[in-house]
Amino acid sequence: MQDPLVSHWGAQDRFQAHFIVKIETPNPSKYVARTILKTSGHFNGKKVESVSWNGGLLAEELNKDSALNELIAQQSIKDASIYVDPSNNGVRIYSKWKNSHEFKITKDMYAIYNKIAEHVKKI
């Protein structure tokens, strides 16, 4: 059956990379986390000053990792907005949607996601 709510804009060029940690999540609420950004400046000149985490037990562990939070604070607003959610067969780590020109995974972003995955596996 065809979707009755067809978008008249067609396909959108929005992308989002999801990094998945394959683990059992008997208590999914422990694995929920998202960054809370303290910023300065306005519009395009907005910079991240500091990062904290909000959520379950994982967020508490991520708040203790000052090296990780400093690395995240050096990223752009879109890259520093990180979400961690449990799914059926693991835990997803992802950032905001980006268009085709912005979409890339830098070495720093890979290191950030890898460090978050290490914390996920410890819990």
Side-chain angles (χ1 to χ4, degrees):
M1 185 172 155
Q2 193 173 19
D3 186 10
L5 301 173
V6 177
S7 172
H8 61 277
W9 293 304
Q12 302 294 307
D13 70 335
R14 300 280 181 226
F15 301 95
Q16 188 178 44
H18 288 239
F19 292 81
I20 299 173
V21 182
K22 294 205 175 218
I23 60 167
E24 293 294 322
T25 54
N27 188 357
S29 63
K30 291 196 303 189
Y31 297 98
V32 176
R34 68 182 282 267
T35 55
I36 305 296
L37 307 176
K38 182 178 178 188
T39 60
S40 64
H42 298 285
F43 305 114
N44 201 25
K46 191 177 262 194
K47 302 282 186 205
V48 179
E49 288 184 352
S50 65
V51 176
S52 62
W53 291 85
N54 186 17
L57 181 62
L58 176 62
E60 293 174 18
E61 292 299 316
L62 293 170
N63 276 324
K64 295 176 187 174
D65 192 343
S66 60
L68 172 66
N69 294 332
E70 288 175 18
L71 187 58
I72 295 171
Q74 296 170 5
Q75 307 303 314
S76 69
I77 299 288
K78 279 189 176 182
D79 287 339
S81 300
I82 300 172
Y83 306 92
V84 182
D85 295 324
S87 63
N88 293 340
N89 58 352
V91 176
R92 297 180 306 138
I93 305 166
Y94 59 98
S95 190
K96 291 194 174 222
W97 290 91
K98 297 180 182 178
N99 67 34
S100 61
H101 301 292
E102 297 175 307
F103 186 72
K104 63 184 173 200
I105 301 298
T106 63
K107 287 182 182 181
D108 286 342
M109 288 306 298
Y110 184 80
I112 289 168
Y113 290 142
N114 194 40
K115 190 68 174 167
I116 295 169
E118 289 175 13
H119 285 287
V120 167
K121 289 179 180 180
K122 285 182 189 175
I123 293 180

